């Protein structure tokens, strides 16, 4: 069973526009949730994480995500896109009864000038 | 402090050969996980090790094996390489609380790019 689903394999926004990358999880018990960014030919860099504290999580580079239990979602947002935000973004989950991290398929963000 | 280090960074192997990939976790981290990332896809979980014991295994064939050493470094071994094994192999280290629950996320290395020809 898919633990985490990212809606939209490719998102394109204009520079300065709102960035919204969608992530939904499938678990009856809220898991730990993470967003990672991957630039070409590099590893994964942690943007932010939800570990059952505040539901609105602020991360690096101006990104934030809101955990919504009713919607089983953890969407990533940024008010104003920058050219340097162009990358692949992955949502990941650690389930309550497990310890390994599982990833979504990723969303490629393109930022147009 | 050094981050997660992986070696080698790039590797080219021939079908049927064997490969060993290495990972050194962040100092103090006792759990190491391995992931395979095929081009254009998300990372797929292969193994998790903690205190030298396998604690999790993904849906990979027995050609894939791993181990963790007393210093918490780890090796991933792949036998009888196939073209489909070409991928970026990522290692991640993490803290692990006494109860067994990892709740601080993982820190990833830059990966080993394996090409099988």
């Amino acid at each position: 069973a898919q633990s985490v689903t990212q809606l939209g394999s490719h998102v394109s926004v204009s520079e300065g526009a709102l960035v919204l990358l969608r992530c939904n999880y499938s678990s009856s018990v809220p898991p730990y949730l993470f967003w990672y960014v991957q630039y070409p030919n590099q590893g994964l860099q942690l943007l932010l994480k939800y570990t059952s504290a505040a539901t609105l999580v602020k991360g690096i580079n101006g990104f934030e995500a809101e955990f919504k239990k009713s919607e089983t979602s953890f969407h990533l947002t940024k008010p104003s896109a920058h050219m340097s935000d162009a990358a692949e973004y992955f949502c990941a989950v650690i389930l309550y009864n497990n310890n390994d991290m599982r990833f979504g398929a990723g969303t490629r963000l393109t930022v147009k000038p | 402090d050094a981050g997660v280090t992986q070696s080698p960074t790039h590797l080219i192997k021939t079908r049927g050969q064997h490969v060993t990939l290495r990972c050194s976790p962040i100092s103090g981290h006792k759990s190491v996980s391995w992931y395979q990332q095929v081009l254009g896809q998300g990372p797929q979980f292969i193994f998790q090790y903690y205190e030298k014991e396998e604690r999790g295994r993904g849906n990979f064939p027995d050609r894939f094996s791993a181990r963790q050493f007393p210093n918490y470094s780890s090796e991933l071994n792949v036998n009888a390489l196939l073209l489909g094994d070409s991928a970026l192999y990522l290692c991640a280290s993490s803290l692990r609380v006494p109860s067994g629950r990892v709740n601080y996320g993982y820190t990833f290395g830059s990966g080993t790019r394996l090409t099988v020809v």
Side-chain angles (χ1 to χ4, degrees):
Chain A
Q2 188 70 25
S3 302
V4 59
T5 303
Q6 291 184 242
L7 300 176
S9 59
H10 190 192
V11 170
S12 181
V13 301
S14 298
E15 191 174 18
L18 171 71
V19 175
L20 171 61
L21 305 182
R22 300 178 185 273
C23 172
N24 288 86
Y25 66 91
S26 55
S27 171
S28 58
V29 177
Y32 293 150
L33 292 155
F34 307 83
W35 276 99
Y36 283 86
V37 61
Q38 186 177 37
Y39 297 99
N41 300 313
Q42 295 188 25
L44 299 169
Q45 180 183 9
L46 180 67
L47 280 176
L48 48 80
K49 59 189 176 188
Y50 167 75
T51 57
S52 71
T55 57
L56 182 62
V57 181
K58 295 187 182 298
I60 62 172
N61 301 339
F63 284 93
E64 62 181 37
E66 185 173 8
F67 172 73
K68 292 187 176 180
K69 183 178 178 180
S70 60
E71 299 177 6
T72 62
S73 69
F74 190 58
H75 300 332
L76 181 71
T77 60
K78 182 174 181 177
S80 177
H82 192 272
M83 296 298 291
S84 61
D85 294 327
E88 188 88 17
Y89 290 81
F90 293 97
C91 182
V93 60
I94 296 177
L95 298 177
Y96 180 77
N97 60 348
N98 208 332
N99 282 307
D100 55 85
M101 181 176 284
R102 304 298 176 119
F103 287 84
T107 298
R108 179 169 298 278
L109 175 66
T110 301
V111 182
K112 299 174 292 186
Chain B
D1 284 343
V4 178
T5 57
Q6 292 187 244
S7 63
T9 56
H10 295 82
L11 201 55
I12 299 176
K13 289 286 190 178
T14 304
R15 278 178 298 174
Q17 285 189 313
H18 162 272
V19 69
T20 298
L21 310 180
R22 296 178 175 81
C23 172
S24 294
I26 290 174
S27 178
H29 284 196
K30 299 182 178 181
S31 183
V32 170
S33 298
W34 287 95
Y35 290 82
Q36 181 196 64
Q37 186 179 20
V38 174
L39 194 63
Q41 297 182 21
Q44 297 295 312
F45 172 69
I46 309 176
F47 287 110
Q48 184 185 73
Y49 275 78
Y50 173 66
E51 291 284 12
K52 297 172 289 180
E53 290 187 6
E54 181 184 303
R55 296 302 181 99
R57 173 186 285 256
N59 187 25
F60 279 80
D62 292 343
R63 299 185 296 107
F64 288 77
S65 63
R67 56 179 175 169
Q68 187 177 33
F69 299 99
N71 66 353
Y72 304 111
S73 66
S74 178
E75 284 183 354
L76 175 69
N77 295 284
V78 186
N79 292 323
L81 285 166
L82 304 174
L83 294 179
D85 295 331
S86 296
L88 179 67
Y89 287 84
L90 295 165
C91 172
S93 75
S94 56
L95 291 167
R96 189 155 175 158
V97 298
S99 65
R101 185 74 198 277
V102 174
N103 59 8
Y104 290 102
Y106 294 9
T107 301
F108 284 83
S110 297
T112 294
R113 173 74 61 186
L114 172 65
T115 302
V116 182
V117 297

